Amino acid sequence: MSSDDRGSVLAQPLQAPSAGRAVALLGLVVLGAVAGLAGALVQAGWFPGGLLLALAGAAGLFLGGARAVASRSGAVAPAFGWVVAVIFLTASRPEGDFLFGAGGGSYLFLLGGMALAVICATMGFGRQPQADDARLGK
C-alpha cells in the first residue's frame, strides 16, 4: 500500500448525497407513500388477490429502489414513505371513519409490508469496494 492510500472504502466517512441522489430518494419516498395508499385500497377490494398484489407491488418498489440507487437507502426511502402513509391511514377520523378494517387481511398487509421493507433493505446493496475480479489483498 502506498502512503497516499486511504484504506478500504468501507472505512471512509459517510458523505452527504449528491443533489441528484437526494432528488431520487425524495421521489422514492413519494412513490412509497403512493404505493401504501394504493395497496390499502386494493388489499381490501379484492381479498386474497388484492392483498398479494399490494404486497408484491410494495416489494417491487422497495427492491427496485435499492437496485436503482445501488444502495440500501434506495429501499429505505420508499419503505419510509409506505410506513408513513399506512400509519396515517390507520388513524380514525373524528367522524369515526377509517380505511382499514379489523380483518386479518388488513393486519397481513400492515405486518407483511413492514417485513418486506426490512427484507428488501437487508437485501439491498451495501457500500462495497469497487475492485477487480481478483482478490483484494493481492
Side-chain angles (χ1 to χ4, degrees):
M1 288 188 163
S2 64
S3 62
D4 62 301
D5 188 16
R6 294 178 5 181
S8 171
V9 174
L10 297 174
Q12 300 303 315
L14 295 174
Q15 298 174 358
S18 64
R21 182 177 287 259
V23 168
L25 292 175
L26 184 62
L28 286 171
V29 169
V30 171
L31 280 176
V34 169
L37 173 66
L41 296 173
V42 168
Q43 64 89 19
W46 303 302
F47 180 64
L51 175 64
L52 294 175
L53 180 66
L55 290 176
L61 178 62
F62 301 154
L63 195 56
R67 301 281 175 170
V69 181
S71 74
R72 289 188 177 125
S73 62
V76 173
F80 175 75
W82 185 90
V83 168
V84 167
V86 168
I87 296 298
F88 179 72
L89 293 172
T90 58
S92 63
R93 297 183 357 187
E95 294 87 20
D97 298 335
F98 53 91
L99 191 60
F100 288 104
S106 297
Y107 292 120
L108 283 174
F109 177 67
L110 293 170
L111 297 175
M114 289 181 203
L116 284 172
V118 170
I119 290 168
C120 292
T122 303
M123 287 177 44
F125 294 107
R127 294 178 60 188
Q128 296 293 323
Q130 301 296 327
D132 299 342
D133 292 335
R135 296 182 311 208
L136 293 176
K138 207 171 179 186

